[in-house]
Amino acid sequence: MSMIILGGSKSQGLASRLAAETGASLGELERRRFPDTEAYVRLKSDVAGERVVIVATTHPDQALVELLLLGDAVRRQRPESITTIVPYYAYGRQDRVFLAGETVSAEVVARLIQGFTDEFVTVDPHKEHILSFFKCKAGSVTAVPTIAEHVKAKHVDLVLAPDKGALERAQSCAAIMGVDADHLDKVRLDAHTVELRPKNLSVRDKNVLILDDIISTGGTVMKAAAELKKQGAQKVMAACTHGLFAAEALAHIRTVCDDVIATDTVESSVSVVSVAKSIAKAL
Ligand code: R5P
């Protein structure tokens, strides 16, 4: 039995790096879209009796549908086992009912994925408890140590979490880098608007790294960066595990941040850190 890695269309680079890291072979797929945009997936490799690892970020929605089709195609060939790696678990932020009448999107997606997989692994989920939505074996790995190693050379004096909930992540990054960590207080007004409470951070002439799990519209890091610059910070960098960069977010962030760093859980022009090694260790 050998290990075969199958990459979703939004995780091709990471799937190749994971194959190189583990010595596994990359399986072949045929993928296309029907004229009405529906997805078509065909497994070209024979995976019967093999250990299959699917690597597929589920953002945007089409990538999630592709994963469900691929998972079914693999299951039909009766492999020894299927491990599904979802580097960025989309819909993870709706992890409970916040307002009456809402759904728990993170649980809905978990139900779909566990329909074909034996094991599930993700990277830096927004909240760790989403793993309990899976009835199969489920775990997570973190990109924080790899991000910390990458930014060590950038002479960071302080790692800043945009809100208290993200402080633990900032502290573990800061500990690896041997610097301090602090946090701001964030209030989300709606999906596009956040308010950061002013707080004295003593950042004058310092290089500050803002670390978040996700950057989507960029509203959070831009507000934090503006506050830091107002308080006299010399250089402000933004780092995250999952760089979604909705619409023109990246261009906007670059107007207030001196550097933007993300991992390859969502592949973009600033995916300068790979989570392949961390995932390989978990396999
Ligand atoms: C939310 O709690 C997350 O940790 C991020 O802070 C949030 O998703 C960032 O979103 P945006 O870039 O749209 O402000």
Side-chain angles (χ1 to χ4, degrees):
M1 180 188 55
S2 58
M3 185 157 90
I4 298 177
I5 295 179
L6 299 168
S9 52
K10 294 290 172 190
S11 301
Q12 299 277 283
L14 179 55
S16 304
R17 286 185 278 278
L18 188 60
E21 213 42 72
T22 55
S25 57
L26 267 180
E28 268 189 76
L29 296 170
E30 182 187 341
R31 256 186 289 253
R32 51 189 165 82
R33 298 230 157 255
F34 289 104
D36 57 11
T37 77
E38 283 180 8
Y40 172 87
V41 178
R42 187 168 76 91
L43 192 50
K44 289 169 87 178
S45 304
D46 180 7
V47 300
E50 307 287 5
R51 181 180 178 200
V52 177
V53 175
I54 302 174
V55 186
T57 270
T58 51
H59 171 84
D61 288 359
Q62 286 186 333
L64 171 61
V65 174
E66 185 196 85
L67 169 63
L68 301 177
L69 301 182
L70 176 58
D72 182 69
V74 174
R75 180 53 73 208
R76 284 170 191 275
Q77 280 204 12
R78 299 184 185 278
E80 164 73 22
S81 66
I82 305 177
T83 299
T84 301
I85 316 275
V86 178
Y88 170 61
Y89 187 72
Y91 291 97
R93 281 171 289 182
Q94 183 76 27
D95 62 328
R96 64 185 172 90
V97 171
F98 297 92
L99 296 173
E102 287 180 347
T103 175
V104 182
S105 318
E107 187 170 8
V108 174
V109 174
R111 262 186 245 132
L112 294 171
I113 293 173
Q114 80 192 11
F116 63 83
T117 200
D118 299 300
E119 189 179 349
F120 170 81
V121 179
T122 188
V123 183
D124 287 336
H126 184 60
K127 293 271 171 59
E128 206 67 25
H129 83 92
I130 61 124
L131 298 174
S132 69
F133 295 148
F134 288 83
K135 303 283 173 270
C136 62
K137 190 177 168 201
S140 72
V141 299
T142 178
V144 171
T146 323
I147 294 174
E149 289 304 332
H150 179 86
V151 291
K152 247 183 186 170
K154 294 181 184 272
H155 309 291
V156 170
D157 300 299
L158 178 80
V159 181
L160 185 80
D163 57 36
K164 211 170 173 188
L167 180 60
E168 217 177 287
R169 187 177 297 115
Q171 282 170 330
S172 68
C173 182
I176 295 168
M177 297 167 70
V179 300
D180 292 331
D182 205 336
H183 70 92
L184 284 169
D185 292 311
K186 177 171 99 174
V187 186
R188 181 166 286 285
L189 304 178
D190 59 49
H192 298 274
T193 329
V194 290
E195 197 177 270
L196 288 178
R197 300 248 163 84
K199 177 180 169 188
N200 197 349
L201 292 160
S202 49
V203 291
R204 184 152 301 282
D205 299 327
K206 289 187 177 165
N207 294 336
V208 185
L209 176 76
I210 305 166
L211 180 67
D212 211 346
D213 58 338
I214 302 167
I215 298 180
S216 177
T217 63
T220 303
V221 287
M222 287 193 286
K223 286 259 166 67
E227 182 63 28
L228 288 165
K229 290 267 167 100
K230 202 166 87 190
Q231 295 193 25
Q234 190 179 50
K235 216 171 164 191
V236 177
M237 293 160 262
C240 65
T241 302
H242 313 294
L244 301 177
F245 305 118
E248 298 302 309
L250 195 50
H252 293 152
I253 297 166
R254 282 196 164 121
T255 64
V256 280
C257 291
D258 301 280
D259 204 354
V260 188
I261 294 149
T263 78
D264 53 0
T265 61
V266 180
E267 296 177 1
S268 75
S269 60
V270 292
S271 296
V272 293
V273 174
S274 180
V275 294
K277 271 199 171 76
S278 315
I279 293 174
K281 276 188 215 152
L283 287 175

